[in-house]
Amino acid sequence: FSPLAVLLGHKKPVTTIAFSPSRVYRQTTPAHLKHSSGSVVASDRLLLSASNDGMACLWSVADMEKQLAIDVTLPQGAAPEATAAATVQATGSIFCASFDGTGAHFVTGSKNGIVRIWTVEPLSLKVELATHEKAVNCALFSSYTERLLTASHDGSAYIWAQHYSIKLSADTTLTMNGENAAGSDTVSAAGPTVAATTLGSVSTSTTTGRGRPKEKEKQRITMALWSLDDRFIVTAVSDGSIKIWDSTTGRLIHILSLHTDKVFVLDQHPTDPKIVLSAGYDGRTVLWDIVMGKCIICYQRPGSQLLDARFSHDGMYFAVSDHEGYVVLYGSGSNT
């Protein structure tokens, strides 16, 4: 492998990068990337980068390839420098950014709780959402339904649509018969999954040395995800639980309790909408059936903090990386 280009544009650490969809339709392709023939090729793509400097940059992938092709004097291992095709400035560090399914829009989530939706052509701010009280760590468009999911360290998540929004409330709990309830801290439930406050304060039985109950810990969302078919929202909470929500009604459906430490990794299976992967600081990698609310299989690596995991494009494999630099590849079949 060799670098196509060195992208210079940010003054502080880059927090996220994302490519636009591989097929960007002509009417949503920036003018300087359109071919005279009007045809769309795979190089009609943009790279989005966001940073703690509060800037989001759009880079032309086609221009990177062009630069590499014409500069044959570079020494081995070097790469041409490139400048951003366009930049936008947001207030506060940008923690997350992503494109919608067409590449016509992208969204940024900032440390100050502001979510902004941008139009690619012409490059402009379309909507600003100032609802979250703390840093936004997740902002994802749905695949099919033109909705947006945002989640924050304040313990809340929102589903945004054109004419309405749904808040996944911090005081929502599950009762023993599976109904949603509000205003209580814990609810006792039969079976392996214990219902607890969703996205909010979780009651604890521990006490201080003088017998006073500890202050309730404010839980935060560590990761959030759409299911493959947009039917469900999956959220990971800092107590290690995984919450499954109906994306249409905002109703809490399942609380999945298997992880014993924080979960920062969620990924959807690329072909089966009911399967989601989670990985956490407890060394566990879990495949879930989010429709039934059950664990399919759990792999454990004691002592490892799992930092990332992704399915292959066909869903037959997934890779998991940990804090020591190891990458483990799992697959289906008796020989994997």
Side-chain angles (χ1 to χ4, degrees):
F1 294 97
S2 60
L4 289 177
V6 177
L7 308 179
L8 301 177
H10 294 291
K11 298 178 181 178
K12 292 185 179 181
V14 174
T15 56
T16 185
I17 56 174
F19 283 100
S20 63
S22 58
R23 292 293 180 179
V24 181
Y25 294 100
R26 190 173 187 274
Q27 62 266 28
T28 62
T29 305
H32 69 284
L33 297 181
K34 291 179 182 177
H35 295 263
S36 57
S37 64
S39 60
V40 179
V41 295
S43 61
D44 285 340
R45 302 182 67 183
L46 295 173
L47 174 66
L48 169 65
S49 63
S51 166
N52 282 337
D53 60 11
M55 291 184 64
C57 297
L58 293 175
W59 310 85
S60 165
V61 176
D63 287 350
M64 294 180 211
E65 294 171 345
K66 182 179 178 182
Q67 276 188 295
L68 185 66
I70 63 175
D71 194 342
V72 295
T73 63
L74 290 172
Q76 186 175 3
E81 295 180 355
T83 56
T87 63
V88 295
Q89 183 74 43
T91 55
S93 301
I94 300 176
F95 279 11
C96 55
S98 62
F99 283 100
D100 68 359
T102 67
H105 303 90
F106 65 93
V107 60
T108 59
S110 300
K111 182 179 179 180
N112 59 7
I114 305 296
V115 175
R116 294 178 175 88
I117 301 175
W118 307 83
T119 301
V120 173
E121 185 187 13
L123 185 61
S124 58
L125 178 63
K126 182 178 180 180
V127 177
E128 183 174 286
L129 306 171
T131 304
H132 291 291
E133 297 176 357
K134 293 185 179 180
V136 177
N137 58 2
C138 178
L140 294 170
F141 288 100
S142 60
S143 298
Y144 307 106
T145 53
E146 298 185 354
R147 292 179 293 169
L148 174 68
L149 168 66
T150 63
S152 168
H153 289 171
D154 64 9
S156 69
Y158 281 85
I159 304 166
W160 303 92
Q162 186 173 0
H163 300 295
Y164 67 90
S165 65
I166 299 174
K167 180 181 181 181
L168 309 185
S169 179
D171 62 355
T172 305
T173 63
L174 279 179
T175 63
M176 293 182 64
N177 60 4
E179 296 298 321
N180 284 202
S184 58
D185 292 322
T186 58
V187 178
S188 223
T193 299
V194 178
T197 300
T198 302
L199 312 180
S201 301
V202 174
S203 178
T204 175
S205 60
T206 57
T207 60
T208 63
R210 297 183 179 180
R212 296 191 308 270
K214 280 186 177 180
E215 222 175 280
K216 296 171 185 176
E217 182 184 359
K218 178 74 172 180
Q219 298 295 334
R220 62 188 180 93
I221 299 175
T222 55
M223 186 56 64
L225 187 74
W226 292 93
S227 65
L228 183 65
D229 56 6
D230 293 346
R231 288 180 57 201
F232 303 104
I233 299 294
V234 183
T235 59
V237 184
S238 54
D239 63 356
S241 62
I242 307 294
K243 314 297 173 66
I244 313 299
W245 306 78
D246 184 311
S247 70
T248 302
T249 65
R251 177 177 173 268
L252 178 60
I253 300 173
H254 300 297
I255 301 179
L256 310 178
S257 300
L258 186 57
H259 288 285
T260 58
D261 206 338
K262 293 180 176 64
V263 174
F264 290 97
V265 181
L266 293 173
D267 195 27
Q268 59 183 209
H269 192 279
T271 61
D272 191 335
K274 70 176 180 293
I275 297 178
V276 164
L277 174 152
S278 66
Y281 276 16
D282 58 358
R284 289 185 171 100
T285 304
V286 186
L287 296 183
W288 301 98
D289 182 329
I290 60 173
V291 176
M292 299 299 295
K294 294 181 178 180
C295 167
I296 299 172
I297 191 169
C298 175
Y299 302 93
Q300 187 163 9
R301 299 182 61 221
S304 294
Q305 295 180 355
L306 306 182
L307 304 180
D308 202 3
R310 289 295 180 268
F311 280 107
S312 62
H313 289 299
D314 60 4
M316 299 299 290
Y317 301 90
F318 61 89
V320 182
S321 63
D322 67 14
H323 71 294
E324 294 181 327
Y326 290 99
V327 178
V328 180
L329 181 65
Y330 297 90
S332 61
S334 59
N335 295 325
T336 57

